[in-house]
Amino acid sequence: MIDPGAHAGFILAAYAATAIILGGVILASWLSLRAARARLQRLEALFPDGGKRPS
Amino acid sequence: MNDARPTSWLQLANPAVFNRWADRLLGPLVIVTLGLFAYGLYGTFFLSPADYQQGDTVRIMYIHVPAAWLALFVYAGMVFSALGTLVFRHPMADVAQKAAAPLGAAFTLVCLITGSIWGKPTWGTWWQWDARMTSVLVLLLIYLGIMALWRAVDDPLRAARAVAILTLVGAVNLPIIKFSVDWWYTLHQPASVFRLDGPTIHPSMLKPLLIMALGYLGLYLVLLLVRMKTELTLRRIDRLQRLAAGIPGERA
């Protein structure tokens, strides 16, 4: 069982930094995928034939 | 419905096939990763003992060491992707490499920051320009350079080749990081897990450490799949826009 004593701040800072960095990457990755999917859906709605122009 | 099953890596080159398999894998991978982190963190704080010298600051090891392993593992994977781009011209190789670079940079940053925070109470300093720490900092700079190169070159095919070459050149840093603690006198301790004569770390600490490492690996795989799906979607958008605008030379 943990009894961090005088070094509690270091342990907390290390875990907080990890959570912020990895949490940020998770959030950014998820938001990027969501934004890209939304953009693709809008484009596919504009060009239902796959973007090909009539010849 | 197309139920063709990939029987080789070449079939996974088809974005539709890749997306289908990624969608199947993502859910179970997320559940397994969450389970590993939950059990790993429980082991970190409640099952593993404090170190007889460092006390409870040793608990930083459970987030620092797996981040260091992943920083190297991701780069090693990028080296294989670079070979896939240059030698085999596998269409998914550069997608994987582009998706992996920011993840590798993030794990390297976690490694450096947690190492610095761990160093202060243990060594009495936040940073020392010794071989291990400096070579890991160089790894972060290589990751950032790769990410910058992807943005700097407009043509994705040319960018992929340039990045692949830079990745292969940067691979020389991997053995330097691994063996720096043996080749030079460093403040950083030598390896205590991956050793020819077996781990020197007590099993009560080794077990949660390995579980946390598997959690990190699971997180990496989840994020890699998500980022590869994003990149494929962006390429599809680019292709649609080029087709709609009548621009020749669009990429499939």
Side-chain angles (χ1 to χ4, degrees):
Chain A
M1 179 65 188
I2 188 167
D3 179 20
H7 294 140
F10 291 104
I11 300 169
L12 190 65
Y15 277 83
T18 304
I20 288 169
I21 295 168
L22 295 185
V25 173
I26 293 167
L27 191 64
S29 301
W30 179 63
L31 289 177
S32 296
L33 178 61
R34 212 175 65 155
R37 276 180 172 166
R39 208 170 136 205
L40 180 62
Q41 278 178 355
R42 282 199 301 273
L43 263 177
E44 284 179 337
L46 284 174
F47 305 107
D49 57 350
K52 288 175 188 157
R53 288 181 165 185
S55 53
Chain B
M1 182 182 164
N2 182 2
D3 61 350
R5 293 179 180 177
T7 54
S8 75
W9 287 105
L10 282 178
Q11 281 179 279
L12 282 176
N14 181 331
V17 174
F18 173 84
N19 271 324
R20 201 164 50 245
W21 277 84
D23 287 339
R24 284 180 194 170
L25 282 172
L26 267 174
L29 252 179
V30 168
I31 292 168
V32 169
T33 302
L34 287 174
L36 285 167
F37 271 123
Y39 187 58
L41 287 171
Y42 176 73
T44 294
F45 287 106
F46 298 102
L47 299 180
S48 72
D51 184 74
Y52 79 103
Q53 282 184 319
Q54 301 179 45
D56 277 297
T57 49
V58 76
R59 296 184 201 282
I60 297 174
M61 171 182 73
Y62 301 103
I63 47 172
H64 169 75
V65 174
W69 288 344
L70 260 291
L72 296 177
F73 178 81
V74 172
Y75 200 92
M78 285 172 57
V79 170
F80 279 105
S81 294
L83 291 174
T85 298
L86 292 174
V87 180
F88 303 107
R89 298 185 187 275
H90 194 289
M92 293 299 287
D94 63 308
V95 175
Q97 198 186 34
K98 189 174 183 182
L103 303 177
F107 287 122
T108 312
L109 188 62
V110 168
C111 170
L112 285 169
I113 290 177
T114 55
S116 178
I117 294 171
W118 193 11
K120 182 61 179 169
T122 309
W123 300 328
T125 181
W126 297 101
W127 181 261
Q128 183 83 29
W129 291 99
D130 82 351
R132 171 57 69 84
M133 291 178 233
T134 307
S135 55
V136 173
L137 180 63
V138 169
L139 179 66
L140 177 63
L141 296 177
I142 293 172
Y143 274 126
L144 295 178
I146 287 169
M147 290 161 64
L149 192 54
W150 270 115
R151 286 174 174 267
V153 182
D154 282 337
D155 180 4
L157 289 177
R158 283 182 56 221
R161 285 192 202 111
V163 164
I165 292 167
L166 177 59
T167 304
L168 291 179
V169 171
V172 75
N173 194 37
L174 294 189
I176 293 175
I177 292 173
K178 167 67 183 160
F179 296 110
S180 56
V181 287
D182 303 318
W183 291 343
W184 294 287
Y185 175 79
T186 58
L187 189 58
H188 196 284
Q189 67 173 61
S192 51
V193 177
F194 296 116
R195 295 165 57 99
L196 289 176
D197 54 349
T200 56
I201 186 171
H202 193 271
S204 61
M205 292 177 165
L206 182 61
K207 189 179 165 188
L209 178 63
L210 293 179
I211 290 168
M212 285 296 283
L214 287 174
Y216 270 66
L217 179 63
L219 176 63
Y220 166 64
L221 293 175
V222 166
L223 291 176
L224 181 68
L225 288 177
V226 168
R227 294 184 61 84
M228 285 177 73
K229 283 169 64 68
T230 305
E231 179 61 22
L232 288 173
T233 306
L234 290 174
R235 291 186 182 198
R236 168 87 177 134
I237 289 169
D238 182 53
R239 180 171 173 267
L240 271 178
Q241 286 176 329
R242 282 168 180 270
L243 280 168
I247 299 171
E250 87 286 345
R251 292 174 292 109

